[in-house]
Amino acid sequence: DALAGYTGQSRGRAPTHTWNTRPLAVAEHGGVPADDRSAAEVVLAGLSREPVTTFTALDDPWVLDGRLGAERDEHLGVLAGAPPDQRSSLHLARVTAEHAGRAVQAASADLERAEAHLARFGPLAALRRTVRMERDDAEQAVARAQQRLEAARAERRRSEGRVAELEAAEAERTRFVADTAWRLERVQAINNQLDRHWSAAVLAAVRQDDPLAFGVGRLRAARAVAASDLASYHASLPPDRRAAVTQAERELADARHRRRLAHRALDECRRRLEVASERHWGRRDKEAMARAERALASAEHAVSDAARAEHDARGRLDAEGSKLRRRTKALAATEERRVELTGALAELDAALDDTRAKRVEALAAEPIVPPHLVDVVGEAPSDPHARQAWWGLAWRIEAYRDRHPDALGHEADGGIIAAIGPSPAARWMPDAEWDDLAGQVRHGRSLVALAAEASNADVDGAWGDATAWAEVVEEAGALLNSQRATVDRGVGRETGRSIGW
């Protein structure tokens, strides 16, 4: 080959001679030689051939995945043996024990009252029949109170024993949590490491034009990791204070202008006081001096206020400038990583977009349609136009799932939630994209059924064209809206279509 031939001819210490040779021709397929090139042609092809440049990972990603996965399974196995959380049961047991304690106190009070009532009967109480009957009733009341007290004490002992048992179990769980906290931290660290590990492997595959080398699940996960890391970098940056700096500069300039005006007014007041202090016709104008002195004091106060305002404005400008410099420094420190993540995110988004049409077609070709699609769009139909509508709806669903990791993992819920996850409004705020897609998916089966009669486009050569799929869905949606309009107006479907409704 080229490598061995070049080395053998150029790296020898002694003179080197090369003979052009070739294996004996092998006759195949009725005696026709499989390779009829001359020896010189064979050697020339071997020495000039470029090495095969196919994508190979620097390290097999499954090696690290297996090693870290085994370690994680070991930690999770230990954590799975954690004692059950008894905090709610312990709280209930403590409440029950508290009630049992109050019941004992109430039973003791009842017994004391019954005994006090019995003690009021003297030694001559047996002489009268009615008094004897009252004393018997009091004795029975004492006996019943004693029984209630014993039962309340038994319940209190049982409740206190239950509390002690649960407290011991909770103490054991607390010790277990304290002893194994490092395992939970290690599991989280392993998850983060594997996320970054697979993200790098998937990104390398994307850059070698093999985005689905590890499956669409890992491609989506890599995109989620890149988006999360980039969002974390942006969130860690100090807030942008450029507008605040501009406002502070404007306030400082205004304060300086007011200070200059205040100084001019002060100079004018001093000049007027000097004029008023001069003698006129042998005496001083006391009233004019008093007015000038008051105006001078006011001007001095205005100058002081203007200087204070300028000082405060300069302080605000310095503070906002310091914040802006911290942001600029943080931007410079993270620029390389943010640019790298932004580029990676763009590449992963492009890979998801480029493969989505083929992925949708593959979903339709599967023997069993994935559960997140079958509930909203049904099985893939055989009619060409209906099938394009099915592809169009599936394309939108997969596009949403590609960009929103929280939409995944809800297949067991069925319906719209299985397809695109729960509404964001249930968690923080409405999302127009989710609402629009949910409204379309809600009528997915009807749109697919109407697509066959709604579309007049030629489907030849447009099987992988997502734009054509979207047009078929829009036409089916227009037909569905027209049918609703005719029903609302009390006109039959066929009659409405015939008159253009």
Side-chain angles (χ1 to χ4, degrees), residues 233-234 236-238 324-341:
Y233 272 104
H234 286 305
S236 65
L237 293 174
L324 183 59
R325 287 190 294 273
R326 286 199 299 270
R327 176 178 173 83
T328 303
K329 184 178 180 180
L331 284 171
T334 61
E335 181 178 7
E336 181 178 359
R337 182 57 178 160
R338 286 186 294 106
V339 170
E340 179 183 349
L341 287 172

Side-chain angles (χ1 to χ4, degrees), residues 258-274 291-307:
R258 291 199 304 271
R259 180 179 59 81
R260 287 193 294 269
L261 293 179
H263 276 290
R264 292 176 186 175
L266 178 62
D267 294 340
E268 180 64 19
C269 290
R270 287 172 177 170
R271 188 188 63 78
R272 290 178 181 178
L273 179 59
E274 291 177 357
R291 288 195 299 271
E293 289 175 350
R294 289 195 297 271
L296 179 61
S298 178
E300 290 175 345
H301 184 70
V303 168
S304 177
D305 289 345

